[in-house]
Amino acid sequence: MSLPFSVLDLAPVVSGATSGDALRNTLDLARRTEALGFHRYWLAEHHTMPGIASSATSVLIGQVAAATSRIRVGSGGVMLPNHAPMVVAEQFGTLEALFPGRIDLGLGRAPGTDQATARALRRSPEALSVDDFPEQVIELRGYFAEDSTVTPAAGNEPPVWLLGSSGYSARLAGLLGLPFAFAHHFSAENTLPALALYRDSFRPGMLDAPYSMIGVSVTAAESDERARELAAPQALAFLRLRTGRPGKLPTPEETAAHPYTPLERQMIDARLADQVMGGPETVKRQMDALVEKTGVDEVMVTTQVFDHADRIRSYEILAGLYGLKAEEAPATGA
């Protein structure tokens, strides 16, 4: 398999640690995955979540790009309804001017938070609708035109991606001729329909042909049993988020001691079932099957484990399985 592999990072804040610790780990992981041959390093916008430190996404992208030299760096994504399109254009035009050919602008239409926080971000109840997302995307791209008066956006448009977990952004990405990234890691049941809709809707635009990527949760370890142990804390963190109790990524000890109800066990088993998880042979078999089933052009991997060294090791195992090499990794792409 020769398709590119990339990284999605939420800058996880683990129990007993600080946001500063999480952000320093992000810079370290970016350097290490660049050396391993991963193609992109994307950061996700979430707000008011104690376990996620990547909320100031454009600021962190600049830090990661400055700390690396080859890997593409971008947003997975910027939640466009939270921001004035012109401000996003200025931010990413600045990034593209500083790091030409290395920046990606991934856009989402969800708030990435609760309604109260969305209202605080947007400053007006009238701005809470996402119905004008297509118009926002078109407005944003217009600021990057060569004849735009918006500096430094003018002439510095990075590749624009649409992100989604349903069919809405899939269809829009196809109609606008943009690359599309689907959140398989938390909406696996919608993956195949959304990818089919994207390909069926595609019209040449920024791209001449469709280019699709899926985000996949991967936990690779030395054995299947060890991988399941490492994945357990993020499954508990997801459970707490779904039940309105978001927090930092729990310790393995806290995870083991949690008094799971039968329903909670069922929710966690369902969560883990959609992941690529196991020892090297299991990960290779599951990943190959997923890529064959989806027909995607690229895979973006997110790994949420408690210990930073275990997270690095997971990416090392994946890179070894697919022969990634920094000097041979694609320098350009969708």
Side-chain angles (χ1 to χ4, degrees):
M1 191 189 304
S2 59
L3 81 170
F5 282 83
S6 296
V7 179
L8 174 63
D9 183 14
L10 278 65
V13 186
V14 303
S15 181
T18 67
S19 294
D21 296 326
L23 296 172
R24 284 183 285 274
N25 284 342
T26 282
L27 297 180
D28 181 61
L29 185 64
R31 296 186 192 100
R32 289 173 181 266
T33 51
E34 176 179 66
L36 288 170
F38 285 84
H39 183 36
R40 307 178 201 274
Y41 197 100
W42 280 10
L43 297 137
E45 176 187 346
H46 292 278
H47 299 279
T48 61
M49 293 188 182
I52 297 177
S54 55
S55 56
T57 313
S58 60
V59 175
L60 192 51
I61 288 170
Q63 292 294 311
V64 171
T68 54
S69 60
R70 179 203 58 82
I71 198 168
R72 298 190 65 90
V73 188
S75 56
V78 162
M79 301 296 105
L80 187 55
N82 291 342
H83 310 279
M86 182 174 165
V87 173
V88 176
E90 290 175 335
Q91 292 171 347
F92 280 81
T94 299
L95 290 167
E96 178 66 21
L98 287 170
F99 308 102
R102 293 184 56 211
I103 301 300
D104 296 322
L105 174 50
L107 300 172
R109 63 186 285 266
T113 187
D114 57 80
Q115 285 295 301
T117 305
R119 185 174 293 107
L121 286 165
R122 303 176 198 181
R123 301 185 65 187
S124 167
E126 291 74 25
L128 292 179
S129 171
V130 296
D131 294 340
D132 61 347
F133 181 66
E135 290 78 11
Q136 286 187 304
V137 173
I138 293 169
E139 177 186 346
L140 168 62
R141 295 197 65 204
Y143 294 129
F144 291 113
E146 293 285 351
D147 59 355
S148 168
T149 59
V150 179
T151 305
N156 284 314
E157 182 179 21
V160 174
W161 290 67
L162 294 193
L163 283 58
S165 57
S166 65
Y168 185 99
S169 291
R171 182 188 296 275
L172 182 60
L175 293 174
L176 297 179
L178 299 174
F180 176 61
F182 186 82
H184 175 82
H185 56 299
F186 64 81
S187 187
E189 68 279 6
N190 292 322
T191 301
L192 295 181
L195 290 173
L197 184 59
Y198 169 60
R199 293 163 183 149
D200 291 343
S201 303
F202 188 85
R203 305 290 184 271
M206 193 186 88
L207 301 179
D208 294 328
Y211 190 97
S212 60
M213 175 167 66
I214 52 172
V216 183
S217 181
V218 177
T219 305
E222 307 307 325
S223 68
D224 290 0
E225 182 180 7
R226 178 58 175 159
R228 189 171 183 87
E229 291 174 356
L230 294 177
Q234 58 92 0
L236 176 57
F238 179 79
L239 175 66
R240 288 173 171 172
L241 176 64
R242 287 297 192 193
T243 55
R245 297 170 293 146
K248 295 183 177 182
L249 190 67
T251 67
E253 294 76 17
E254 184 182 354
T255 302
H258 182 81
Y260 296 94
T261 67
L263 178 58
E264 288 177 337
R265 287 286 185 192
Q266 184 178 353
M267 292 175 66
I268 283 181
D269 288 343
R271 168 74 173 171
L272 295 177
D274 292 331
Q275 300 185 16
V276 171
M277 178 178 60
E281 291 184 3
T282 301
V283 167
K284 183 70 161 57
R285 182 178 67 254
Q286 292 177 349
M287 184 65 76
D288 285 354
L290 181 60
V291 170
E292 181 178 3
K293 181 172 68 173
T294 59
V296 291
D297 302 288
E298 188 170 340
V299 173
M300 178 159 278
V301 173
T302 182
T303 299
Q304 298 277 88
V305 297
F306 181 81
D307 191 278
H308 183 59
D310 290 326
R311 188 159 62 135
I312 292 169
R313 181 59 184 148
S314 182
Y315 284 106
E316 288 175 344
I317 290 172
L318 191 65
L321 288 173
Y322 290 99
L324 304 187
K325 296 180 180 179
E327 64 273 19
E328 296 178 5
T332 60

